């Protein structure tokens, strides 16, 4: 069974800090995704990666960057955290056009 | 632009009653369609998917969905709801040209005892 593991379930950071969210998948999937989830807005794609060192912007990339140095790991970076980045962050992986498999999410609070 | 609409933000049903959650999409070609469920504090779990073929698809936990091309819909149904079905449900659309999915804004299901 596919497992997508996000390093933290809850995280509290301060405004201006550089924040790293880590995601690891164990099924050798090509594609990995970062979403943020806010009430009433569903899931919005921040960035995705279809191969090592390859990335594409999603719908809301401003204020975020990503890193994929190894196939199994996809990191989301908040360069300088702001309070409007308080949200639930979800990582997912997939193979081709097969369904995406999700981690349990990281609830991030920026104070 | 492609989009997914889930017109019901909340739905409340009694335990044992039938359920239908609506999903409409906007996309020029035949999409790939998915329904996911999210329990509180958890990630999303795949309920079912439609890629091609039979337009009535069966999923896990007794759910099914029907793809209706003429109505651009992919509604989720369950004949008898259990209290454990209380969760948020998301419809998603995938496209031929991309690995990305577009998600609806979700429908929160409440189940009355």
């Amino acid at each position: 069974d596919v497992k997508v593991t996000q390093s933290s379930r809850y995280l509290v950071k301060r405004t201006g800090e550089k924040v790293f969210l880590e995601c690891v998948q164990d099924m050798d999937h090509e594609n990995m995704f970062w979403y943020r989830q806010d009430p009433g807005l569903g899931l919005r794609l921040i960035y995705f990666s279809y191969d090592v060192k390859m990335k594409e912007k999603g719908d809301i990339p401003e204020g975020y960057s990503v890193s994929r140095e190894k196939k199994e790991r996809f990191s989301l970076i908040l360069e300088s955290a702001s309070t409007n980045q308080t949200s639930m962050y979800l990582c997912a992986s997939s193979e081709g056009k097969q369904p995406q498999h999700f981690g349990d999410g990281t609830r991030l609070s920026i104070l | 632009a492609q989009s997914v609409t889930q017109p019901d933000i909340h739905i409340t049903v009694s335990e044992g009653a039938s359920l239908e959650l609506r999903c409409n999409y906007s996309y020029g070609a035949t999409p790939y369609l998915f329904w996911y469920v999210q329990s509180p504090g958890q990630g999303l779990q795949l309920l079912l998917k439609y890629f091609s073929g039979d337009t009535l698809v069966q999923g896990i936990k007794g759910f099914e969905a029907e793809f209706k091309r003429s109505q651009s819909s992919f509604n989720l149904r369950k004949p008898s709801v259990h209290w454990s079905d209380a969760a948020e449900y998301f419809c998603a659309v995938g496209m031929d040209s991309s690995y990305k999915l577009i998600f609806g804004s979700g429908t929160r299901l409440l189940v009355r005892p």
Side-chain angles (χ1 to χ4, degrees), chain A residues 9 37 45 48 97-98 100 103, chain B residues 36 38 41 43 51 90 96:
Chain A
R9 292 298 302 275
Q37 182 180 15
L45 183 64
F48 72 101
K97 291 189 169 60
Q98 293 303 311
Q100 293 180 16
Chain B
Y36 286 87
Q38 184 181 35
F51 279 31
F90 292 93
D96 257 336

Side-chain angles (χ1 to χ4, degrees), chain B residues 1-53:
Chain B
Q2 298 81 15
S3 65
V4 178
T5 302
Q6 293 180 246
D8 303 305
I9 298 174
H10 296 101
I11 282 186
T12 300
V13 300
S14 297
E15 191 168 15
S18 63
L19 171 70
E20 182 168 31
L21 302 183
R22 296 183 289 164
C23 173
N24 291 94
Y25 66 89
S26 171
Y27 179 57
T30 300
Y32 305 105
L33 296 159
F34 307 88
W35 274 99
Y36 286 87
V37 61
Q38 184 181 35
S39 298
Q42 303 295 318
L44 277 68
Q45 180 184 21
L46 179 71
L47 282 176
L48 47 78
K49 63 184 179 184
Y50 172 79
F51 279 31
S52 64

Side-chain angles (χ1 to χ4, degrees), chain A residues 63-76:
Chain A
Y64 303 94
S65 63
V66 289
S67 172
R68 194 166 181 203
E69 296 295 320
K70 294 185 177 182
K71 193 172 186 179
E72 68 271 19
R73 186 180 297 271
F74 192 36
S75 304
L76 179 70

